[in-house]
Amino acid sequence: QVQLVESGGGLVQPGGSLRLSCVTSGSIFSRGAYIWYRQAPGKERELVAAIVSGGNTNYADSVKGRFTISRDNTKSTVYLQMNNLKPEDTAVYYCVADGYFSGSRYYPGKYWGQGTQVTVSS
């Protein structure tokens, strides 16, 4: 059975940092792309960052230069390092496994974490 467990969210002041973790159980870690999505109240879900098994990464324009996605294959874990956080980064962040790239965009797989709340506020 595949499970994704996210952690690392919380309340942080503008300009602060957080690191989200997504631990995968089950034999899918080496398969497909891992994608971090976020959804703020009243807004559509937004792709934040993606990483494929070979290590190539992709970011939303709104987080380029501030967020870094990485993976540790020995721990079956994907990370999202978030620096210089802004109030508009406030959202629930979801880790998704087994995604894929087609055409000009990434698509989520069927395995989702439970989400972790990130709140950026003074």
Side-chain angles (χ1 to χ4, degrees), residues 5 17 22 24 26 35 37 44 50-51 59 64 67 78-79 81 84-85 89 93 100 103 108 115:
V5 179
S17 297
C22 173
T24 302
I35 305 170
Y37 287 94
E44 291 189 357
I51 186 166
Y59 298 92
K64 280 181 182 175
F67 290 13
V78 174
Y79 302 99
Q81 177 67 44
N84 190 21
L85 283 160
D89 295 318
Y93 284 70
Y100 62 96

Side-chain angles (χ1 to χ4, degrees), residues 33-70:
Y34 271 79
I35 305 170
W36 285 98
Y37 287 94
R38 67 186 180 188
Q39 188 160 22
K43 294 189 176 180
E44 291 189 357
R45 185 179 68 201
E46 174 188 24
L47 183 147
V48 177
I51 186 166
V52 297
S53 57
N56 288 343
T57 59
N58 191 273
Y59 298 92
D61 288 343
S62 59
V63 306
K64 280 181 182 175
R66 300 188 297 122
F67 290 13
T68 303
I69 188 171
S70 62

Side-chain angles (χ1 to χ4, degrees), residues 28-34 51-54 71 96-100 106:
I28 67 160
F29 188 75
S30 61
R31 199 170 81 196
Y34 271 79
I51 186 166
V52 297
S53 57
R71 59 190 294 157
V96 182
D98 204 24
Y100 62 96
Y106 281 91

